[in-house]
Coordinates of all heavy atoms in Angstrom, one line a residue:
I6 N -21.5 21.4 -185.6 CA -21.5 20.5 -186.7 C -22.5 19.3 -186.3 O -22.2 18.5 -185.4 CB -20.1 19.9 -186.9 CG1 -19.2 21.1 -187.2 CG2 -20.0 18.9 -188.0 CD1 -17.8 20.8 -187.7
D7 N -23.6 19.3 -187.0 CA -24.6 18.2 -186.8 C -24.7 17.3 -188.0 O -24.2 17.7 -189.1 CB -25.9 18.9 -186.5 CG -26.0 19.6 -185.2 OD1 -25.7 18.9 -184.2 OD2 -26.2 20.8 -185.1
G8 N -25.4 16.2 -187.9 CA -25.6 15.3 -189.0 C -25.9 13.9 -188.5 O -25.9 13.6 -187.3
H9 N -26.1 13.1 -189.5 CA -26.4 11.7 -189.3 C -25.2 10.9 -188.7 O -24.1 11.5 -188.6 CB -26.8 11.0 -190.6 CG -28.1 11.5 -191.1 ND1 -28.1 12.4 -192.2 CD2 -29.4 11.4 -190.7 CE1 -29.4 12.7 -192.4 NE2 -30.2 12.2 -191.5
S10 N -25.4 9.7 -188.2 CA -24.4 8.9 -187.6 C -23.3 8.6 -188.6 O -23.6 8.3 -189.8 CB -24.9 7.6 -187.1 OG -25.9 7.8 -186.1
S11 N -22.1 8.6 -188.2 CA -20.9 8.2 -189.0 C -20.7 9.0 -190.3 O -20.4 8.4 -191.3 CB -21.0 6.7 -189.3 OG -21.0 6.0 -188.2
C12 N -20.9 10.3 -190.2 CA -20.7 11.1 -191.4 C -19.3 11.8 -191.4 O -19.0 12.6 -192.2 CB -21.7 12.3 -191.4 SG -23.3 11.8 -192.2
K14 N -18.3 13.6 -188.7 CA -18.5 14.9 -188.0 C -17.3 15.1 -187.0 O -16.8 16.2 -187.0 CB -19.8 14.9 -187.1 CG -21.0 14.8 -187.9 CD -22.3 14.9 -187.0 CE -22.4 13.8 -186.0 NZ -22.7 12.5 -186.6
S15 N -16.9 14.1 -186.3 CA -15.8 14.3 -185.3 C -14.5 14.6 -186.0 O -13.7 15.4 -185.5 CB -15.7 13.2 -184.3 OG -15.9 12.0 -184.9
Y29 N -12.4 21.3 -178.9 CA -13.3 20.5 -179.6 C -14.1 19.6 -178.6 O -13.5 19.1 -177.7 CB -12.6 19.5 -180.6 CG -13.4 18.3 -181.0 CD1 -14.6 18.4 -181.6 CD2 -12.9 17.0 -180.7 CE1 -15.4 17.3 -181.9 CE2 -13.7 15.9 -181.0 CZ -14.9 16.1 -181.6 OH -15.7 15.0 -181.9
D31 N -17.0 16.5 -178.3 CA -17.8 15.5 -179.0 C -19.0 15.2 -178.1 O -18.9 14.5 -177.1 CB -16.9 14.3 -179.1 CG -17.6 13.0 -179.6 OD1 -18.8 13.1 -179.8 OD2 -16.9 12.0 -179.7
S32 N -20.2 15.8 -178.4 CA -21.3 15.7 -177.6 C -21.9 14.2 -177.6 O -22.5 13.8 -176.6 CB -22.4 16.7 -177.9 OG -23.0 16.3 -179.2
G33 N -21.7 13.5 -178.7 CA -22.1 12.1 -178.7 C -21.4 11.3 -177.7 O -22.0 10.4 -177.1
A34 N -20.1 11.6 -177.4 CA -19.4 10.9 -176.4 C -20.1 11.0 -175.0 O -20.0 10.1 -174.2 CB -18.0 11.4 -176.3
M35 N -20.7 12.2 -174.8 CA -21.4 12.4 -173.5 C -22.6 11.5 -173.4 O -22.8 10.9 -172.3 CB -21.7 13.9 -173.4 CG -20.5 14.8 -173.5 SD -20.9 16.5 -173.6 CE -21.4 16.8 -172.0
Y36 N -23.4 11.4 -174.4 CA -24.5 10.5 -174.4 C -24.1 9.0 -174.3 O -24.7 8.2 -173.6 CB -25.4 10.7 -175.6 CG -26.1 12.0 -175.6 CD1 -25.6 13.1 -176.2 CD2 -27.3 12.2 -174.8 CE1 -26.2 14.3 -176.1 CE2 -27.9 13.4 -174.7 CZ -27.4 14.5 -175.4 OH -28.0 15.7 -175.3
R37 N -22.9 8.7 -174.9 CA -22.4 7.3 -174.8 C -21.9 7.0 -173.4 O -22.1 5.9 -172.9 CB -21.2 7.2 -175.8 CG -21.7 7.1 -177.3 CD -20.5 7.1 -178.2 NE -20.9 7.1 -179.6 CZ -20.9 5.9 -180.3 NH1 -20.5 4.8 -179.7 NH2 -21.3 5.9 -181.6
T40 N -24.9 6.3 -171.3 CA -25.4 4.9 -171.7 C -24.5 3.9 -171.0 O -25.1 2.9 -170.4 CB -25.3 4.8 -173.2 OG1 -26.1 5.8 -173.8 CG2 -25.9 3.4 -173.6
I87 N -16.6 3.4 -174.7 CA -17.9 3.9 -175.2 C -18.1 3.8 -176.7 O -19.2 4.0 -177.2 CB -18.1 5.4 -174.8 CG1 -17.0 6.3 -175.3 CG2 -18.3 5.6 -173.3 CD1 -17.3 7.8 -175.1
R88 N -17.0 3.3 -177.4 CA -17.2 3.1 -178.9 C -17.7 1.7 -179.2 O -17.9 1.4 -180.4 CB -15.8 3.4 -179.6 CG -15.2 4.7 -179.2 CD -16.0 5.9 -179.7 NE -15.6 7.1 -178.9 CZ -16.2 8.3 -179.0 NH1 -17.3 8.4 -179.8 NH2 -15.9 9.3 -178.4
V92 N -22.7 -0.3 -176.4 CA -23.1 1.1 -176.0 C -23.8 1.7 -177.3 O -24.8 2.3 -177.1 CB -21.8 1.9 -175.7 CG1 -22.2 3.4 -175.5 CG2 -21.2 1.4 -174.4
A93 N -23.2 1.4 -178.5 CA -23.8 2.0 -179.7 C -25.3 1.5 -179.9 O -26.1 2.3 -180.3 CB -23.0 1.6 -180.9
K95 N -27.4 1.0 -177.5 CA -28.4 1.5 -176.6 C -28.4 3.0 -176.5 O -29.2 3.6 -175.8 CB -28.1 0.9 -175.2 CG -28.6 -0.5 -174.9 CD -30.1 -0.4 -174.6 CE -30.7 -1.8 -174.4 NZ -31.0 -2.5 -175.6
V96 N -27.4 3.7 -177.1 CA -27.2 5.1 -176.9 C -28.4 5.9 -177.4 O -28.9 6.9 -176.7 CB -25.9 5.6 -177.4 CG1 -25.8 5.5 -178.9 CG2 -25.7 7.1 -177.1
S97 N -29.0 5.6 -178.5 CA -30.1 6.4 -179.0 C -31.4 6.3 -178.2 O -32.0 7.4 -177.9 CB -30.4 6.0 -180.5 OG -29.4 6.6 -181.3
P98 N -31.8 5.1 -177.7 CA -32.9 5.1 -176.7 C -32.6 6.0 -175.5 O -33.4 6.8 -175.0 CB -33.0 3.7 -176.3 CG -32.5 2.9 -177.5 CD -31.4 3.8 -178.1
V99 N -31.3 5.9 -175.0 CA -31.0 6.7 -173.8 C -31.1 8.2 -174.2 O -31.6 9.0 -173.4 CB -29.5 6.4 -173.3 CG1 -29.0 7.4 -172.3 CG2 -29.5 5.0 -172.7
A100 N -30.7 8.6 -175.4 CA -30.7 10.0 -175.8 C -32.1 10.6 -176.0 O -32.2 11.8 -176.3 CB -29.8 10.2 -177.0
T101 N -33.1 9.7 -176.0 CA -34.5 10.2 -176.1 C -35.0 10.7 -174.8 O -36.0 11.4 -174.8 CB -35.5 9.1 -176.6 OG1 -35.5 8.1 -175.6 CG2 -35.1 8.5 -178.0
R106 N -31.1 14.5 -171.6 CA -30.8 15.6 -172.6 C -30.6 16.9 -171.8 O -29.7 17.7 -172.1 CB -31.9 15.8 -173.6 CG -32.1 14.6 -174.5 CD -32.7 15.0 -175.8 NE -31.7 15.6 -176.7 CZ -30.7 15.0 -177.3 NH1 -30.6 13.7 -177.3 NH2 -29.8 15.7 -178.0
M109 N -27.2 16.9 -170.2 CA -26.1 17.0 -171.1 C -26.0 18.4 -171.8 O -24.9 18.9 -171.9 CB -26.3 15.9 -172.2 CG -26.1 14.5 -171.7 SD -24.5 14.2 -170.9 CE -25.0 14.1 -169.2
V110 N -27.1 19.0 -172.1 CA -27.1 20.3 -172.7 C -26.5 21.3 -171.8 O -25.7 22.2 -172.2 CB -28.5 20.7 -173.2 CG1 -28.6 22.2 -173.7 CG2 -29.0 19.8 -174.4
Q113 N -22.9 20.8 -171.8 CA -22.3 21.2 -173.0 C -22.1 22.7 -173.0 O -21.0 23.2 -173.4 CB -23.1 20.8 -174.2 CG -23.0 19.3 -174.5 CD -24.2 18.7 -175.1 OE1 -25.1 19.4 -175.6 NE2 -24.3 17.3 -175.1
M124 N -18.3 22.1 -181.7 CA -19.0 20.9 -181.0 C -19.8 20.1 -182.1 O -20.5 20.8 -182.9 CB -20.0 21.4 -179.9 CG -20.5 20.3 -179.0 SD -21.5 20.9 -177.6 CE -20.3 21.7 -176.6
D125 N -19.7 18.8 -182.1 CA -20.5 18.0 -183.0 C -21.5 17.2 -182.3 O -21.4 16.9 -181.1 CB -19.5 17.2 -183.9 CG -19.0 16.0 -183.2 OD1 -18.7 16.1 -182.0 OD2 -18.7 15.0 -183.8
G126 N -22.6 17.0 -183.0 CA -23.7 16.2 -182.4 C -24.9 16.1 -183.3 O -24.8 15.9 -184.6
R127 N -26.1 16.2 -182.7 CA -27.3 16.1 -183.5 C -28.2 17.4 -183.3 O -29.0 17.7 -184.2 CB -28.2 14.9 -183.0 CG -27.5 13.6 -183.0 CD -27.1 13.2 -184.4 NE -26.6 11.8 -184.5 CZ -25.4 11.4 -184.1 NH1 -24.6 12.3 -183.6 NH2 -25.0 10.1 -184.2
D128 N -28.1 18.0 -182.2 CA -28.9 19.2 -181.9 C -28.1 20.4 -181.5 O -28.6 21.3 -180.7 CB -29.8 18.8 -180.7 CG -29.1 18.5 -179.4 OD1 -27.8 18.2 -179.5 OD2 -29.6 18.6 -178.3
I129 N -26.9 20.5 -181.9 CA -26.0 21.6 -181.5 C -26.5 22.9 -182.1 O -26.6 23.9 -181.4 CB -24.5 21.3 -181.8 CG1 -24.1 19.9 -181.3 CG2 -23.6 22.3 -181.2 CD1 -24.3 19.6 -179.9
V133 N -28.5 23.5 -178.6 CA -27.5 23.8 -177.7 C -27.0 25.2 -177.9 O -26.9 26.0 -177.0 CB -26.3 22.7 -177.7 CG1 -25.3 23.1 -176.7 CG2 -26.9 21.3 -177.5
R154 N -17.3 3.8 -190.6 CA -17.5 3.3 -189.2 C -16.8 2.0 -189.1 O -16.1 1.7 -188.1 CB -19.0 3.2 -188.9 CG -19.3 2.7 -187.5 CD -18.6 3.4 -186.3 NE -18.9 4.8 -186.3 CZ -19.5 5.4 -185.3 NH1 -19.9 4.8 -184.3 NH2 -19.7 6.7 -185.3
N173 N -27.2 -0.8 -187.2 CA -27.0 0.2 -186.1 C -27.2 1.6 -186.6 O -27.8 2.4 -185.9 CB -25.7 -0.1 -185.4 CG -25.5 0.9 -184.3 OD1 -24.7 1.8 -184.4 ND2 -26.2 0.8 -183.2
L174 N -26.6 1.9 -187.8 CA -26.7 3.3 -188.3 C -28.2 3.7 -188.6 O -28.7 4.7 -188.2 CB -25.9 3.5 -189.6 CG -24.4 3.5 -189.5 CD1 -23.9 4.1 -190.8 CD2 -23.9 4.2 -188.4
E176 N -30.9 2.3 -187.4 CA -31.7 2.3 -186.2 C -31.4 3.7 -185.4 O -32.4 4.3 -185.0 CB -31.3 1.2 -185.3 CG -32.3 0.9 -184.2 CD -32.0 -0.3 -183.4 OE1 -30.8 -0.5 -182.9 OE2 -32.8 -1.2 -183.4
R177 N -30.2 4.1 -185.3 CA -29.9 5.3 -184.6 C -30.4 6.5 -185.3 O -31.0 7.4 -184.7 CB -28.4 5.4 -184.4 CG -27.9 4.5 -183.2 CD -26.6 4.9 -182.7 NE -25.5 4.7 -183.6 CZ -24.5 5.6 -183.7 NH1 -24.4 6.7 -183.1 NH2 -23.5 5.3 -184.6
D178 N -30.3 6.5 -186.6 CA -30.8 7.7 -187.4 C -32.3 7.8 -187.2 O -32.8 8.9 -187.1 CB -30.4 7.6 -188.9 CG -29.0 8.0 -189.1 OD1 -28.3 8.5 -188.2 OD2 -28.5 7.7 -190.2
I180 N -34.2 6.6 -184.7 CA -34.6 7.1 -183.4 C -34.2 8.5 -183.2 O -35.0 9.3 -182.6 CB -33.9 6.2 -182.3 CG1 -34.4 4.7 -182.4 CG2 -34.2 6.7 -180.9 CD1 -33.7 3.7 -181.5
D181 N -33.0 8.9 -183.6 CA -32.6 10.3 -183.4 C -33.5 11.3 -184.2 O -33.7 12.4 -183.7 CB -31.1 10.5 -183.9 CG -30.1 9.7 -183.1 OD1 -30.5 9.2 -182.0 OD2 -29.0 9.5 -183.5
R184 N -37.4 11.3 -182.5 CA -37.7 11.5 -181.0 C -38.4 12.9 -180.9 O -38.2 13.8 -181.7 CB -36.4 11.4 -180.2 CG -35.5 12.5 -180.4 CD -34.2 12.4 -179.6 NE -33.3 13.4 -180.0 CZ -32.0 13.2 -180.2 NH1 -31.4 12.0 -180.0 NH2 -31.2 14.2 -180.5
D186 N -38.0 15.0 -178.2 CA -37.2 16.0 -177.6 C -35.9 16.3 -178.4 O -35.1 15.4 -178.6 CB -36.8 15.6 -176.2 CG -36.1 16.6 -175.4 OD1 -35.5 17.6 -176.0 OD2 -36.1 16.6 -174.1
S187 N -35.8 17.5 -179.0 CA -34.7 17.9 -179.8 C -34.2 16.8 -180.8 O -33.1 16.3 -180.7 CB -33.5 18.4 -179.0 OG -33.4 17.8 -177.7
P188 N -35.1 16.5 -181.8 CA -34.7 15.5 -182.8 C -33.5 16.0 -183.7 O -33.3 17.2 -183.8 CB -35.9 15.4 -183.6 CG -36.7 16.6 -183.4 CD -36.4 17.1 -182.0
L189 N -32.8 15.1 -184.3 CA -31.8 15.4 -185.2 C -32.5 16.1 -186.4 O -33.4 15.6 -187.0 CB -31.2 14.1 -185.8 CG -30.4 14.2 -187.1 CD1 -29.2 15.1 -186.9 CD2 -30.0 12.8 -187.5
Ligands
C5P301 O1 -22.0 11.2 -182.4 P1 -22.2 9.7 -182.0 O2 -22.6 8.8 -183.1 O3 -21.1 9.2 -181.1 O4 -23.5 9.9 -181.0 C1 -24.1 8.7 -180.4 C2 -25.5 9.0 -180.2 O5 -25.7 10.0 -179.2 C3 -26.4 9.4 -181.4 O6 -26.8 8.3 -182.2 C4 -27.6 10.1 -180.7 O7 -28.5 9.1 -180.3 C5 -27.0 10.7 -179.4 N1 -26.6 12.1 -179.6 C6 -27.7 13.0 -179.4 N2 -27.4 14.4 -179.4 C7 -26.2 14.8 -179.6 C8 -25.1 13.9 -179.9 C9 -25.4 12.6 -179.9 O8 -28.8 12.6 -179.2 N3 -26.0 16.1 -179.6

Side-chain angles (χ1 to χ4, degrees):
I6 301 188
D7 291 301
H9 295 104
S10 299
S11 300
C12 276
K14 297 185 295 291
S15 40
Y29 161 58
D31 172 359
S32 69
M35 301 172 72
Y36 290 95
R37 285 171 180 267
T40 305
I87 58 173
R88 309 294 161 189
V92 174
K95 281 280 178 283
V96 63
S97 285
V99 168
T101 62
R106 302 204 70 81
M109 291 304 107
V110 170
Q113 285 151 15
M124 193 175 292
D125 73 329
R127 305 295 188 288
D128 61 341
I129 310 304
V133 182
R154 180 53 59 116
N173 178 254
L174 289 198
E176 192 172 61
R177 284 200 289 139
D178 283 349
I180 299 173
D181 293 346
R184 68 182 174 222
D186 189 339
S187 31
L189 161 66

